[in-house]
Amino acid sequence: MSDLLYSEEEEALRSAVRALLADRCEATTVIARVESDDPLDRELWKALTDGMGLAGLLIPEDLGGQGATHREAAVVLEELGRAVAPVPYLTSAVVATETLLGCAGSEATELLGALAAGRTVGALAVGLAVAPGAPVRGVRHDEGALHGKVTGVADAVGADVLLVPADGGLYAVHTAQDGVTVTPQTSLDLTRPLATVTFDAARARELSRDADAEAAVRRGLRAGAALLASEQLGIAEWCLTETVRHTKERHQFNRPVGSFQALKHRLAQLWTEVVNTRAAARNAADALATGSADADVAAAVAQAYAAPVAVRAAEEALQLHGGIGMTWEHPVHLYLKRAKADSVAYGTAGRHREALAELVDLQAP
């Protein structure tokens, strides 16, 4: 059995990413960014990719990547979750990358090299709420061109290339070409914008066909669901840490509000849930990293548990910060919105519980 504790290398990676985010991704910066016309922080993305090579963690070295594992990518996502960083790491460096790794051929290899370098941002053109293994519809392939519409695509606004599941295959489409329209949607989580993508005879390059294409898409979505738990862990940890700090400093009746027994119980319960979330998230990342036969089970368990914990942690943070937590200037609303949006991303907790029941042959009464 693998050791789920963080290695020295993983802790060093965490320290480096946290230091960069502390310098480049303060709460005031994030709030200002989401109020602008371009919610994605392209300078931060460049620092994470060009400066640290994080976009290529999951890509083998012979294809231009770092040759690391899902465990390292999970550590990065924990820190990005703690900062609610408005960058397309999960969608490009994890989901799109994993999807391409499931494809054979020179087209996929070329795109993986571009994603690893960080000069190209990719996105899988399916709705953010689509779970691994769920049917993907909406786009038709006809004589080398794509027709149709997909709604709720995360980070499509900043993507350079879209990986599009269509009739009998998976295709690569560059967003700058004619026939591709990306229309921003109003989304709850302003740090991970959604968009509607419309294809009108858009030229497409084939990446994979038939069952291989379905397997590649499922691989990408499974990695997204499994490693999303690490982002949710980062959200929950920030909410717990900041709430404990606030309740120690906030005084009422001439004593810290955190000294009241009722609040101690709530925070102790939340701490227990966060610890359990860490175990589930680490297990999912390790299962993917080692190619475990139980990777599907680990991903379902992690997402079924982590999603509600992240939401609960953010709700507790909002309530226990009192009036200040309700203000736009305080960042807790960013965490609540991200947690709520994440709770339906790549399948709801209920959907993953259903999948888990099937995987372990636990039939409903």
Side-chain angles (χ1 to χ4, degrees), residues 15-321:
S15 296
V17 175
R18 186 174 295 188
L20 175 65
L21 294 174
D23 183 52
R24 302 283 192 93
C25 196
E26 293 181 343
T28 53
T29 303
V30 177
I31 292 173
R33 170 64 57 183
V34 299
E35 290 177 329
S36 69
D37 293 333
D38 187 3
L40 298 179
D41 192 333
R42 300 179 189 277
E43 289 301 315
L44 176 59
W45 178 246
K46 184 176 181 181
L48 290 167
T49 56
D50 285 354
M52 301 183 70
L54 299 183
L57 283 182
L58 298 180
I59 300 174
E61 292 184 72
D62 59 352
L63 297 181
Q66 303 300 317
T69 73
H70 301 81
R71 289 174 60 119
E72 287 79 16
V75 169
V76 174
L77 281 166
E78 285 181 33
E79 295 306 311
L80 294 177
R82 287 178 65 94
V84 284
V87 293
Y89 190 85
L90 180 67
T91 49
S92 182
V94 175
V95 177
T97 295
E98 276 286 321
T99 302
L100 286 171
L101 287 171
C103 301
S106 59
E107 293 286 354
T109 300
E110 179 183 340
L111 278 177
L112 282 169
L115 291 183
R119 62 177 181 269
T120 297
V121 174
L124 181 62
V126 301
L128 182 61
V130 174
V136 179
R137 303 185 182 91
V139 179
R140 177 172 55 87
H141 180 260
D142 184 18
E143 297 182 355
L146 297 181
H147 307 262
K149 181 169 68 174
V150 185
T151 61
V153 181
D155 292 330
V157 173
D160 302 298
V161 63
L162 297 172
L163 311 181
V164 188
D167 299 334
L170 179 66
Y171 303 88
V173 177
H174 287 275
T175 57
Q177 70 184 36
D178 293 337
V180 181
T181 305
V182 180
T183 307
Q185 295 178 231
T186 300
S187 54
L188 175 64
D189 178 15
L190 301 177
T191 62
R192 180 172 285 147
L194 304 180
T196 296
V197 183
T198 305
F199 302 100
D200 184 10
R203 297 188 308 278
R205 294 181 295 165
E206 183 180 287
L207 296 169
S208 189
R209 289 193 62 80
D210 302 325
D212 291 337
E214 292 181 10
V217 172
R218 188 183 185 283
R219 173 175 175 167
L221 293 175
R222 182 184 69 171
L227 296 190
L228 177 62
S230 292
E231 178 182 290
Q232 291 162 326
L233 170 61
I235 293 169
E237 284 188 320
W238 183 92
C239 290
L240 176 61
T241 300
E242 286 301 305
T243 303
V244 169
R245 182 192 60 77
H246 177 75
T247 55
K248 286 181 177 179
E249 296 176 354
R250 177 78 169 94
H251 281 67
Q252 194 73 32
F253 305 112
N254 204 31
R255 57 187 289 196
V257 296
S259 66
F260 293 103
Q261 194 74 3
L263 297 193
K264 286 183 178 180
H265 286 168
R266 289 170 66 173
L267 291 171
Q269 176 63 31
L270 185 57
W271 178 85
T272 302
E273 293 175 354
V274 171
V275 170
N276 291 339
T277 299
R278 182 182 296 112
R282 290 292 291 170
N283 182 57
D286 185 74
L288 290 180
T290 58
S292 170
D294 291 329
D296 287 340
V297 172
V301 169
Q303 199 45 236
Y305 191 86
V309 170
V311 172
R312 189 153 49 248
E315 290 174 342
E316 289 284 72
L318 183 69
Q319 289 189 15
L320 297 182
H321 272 82

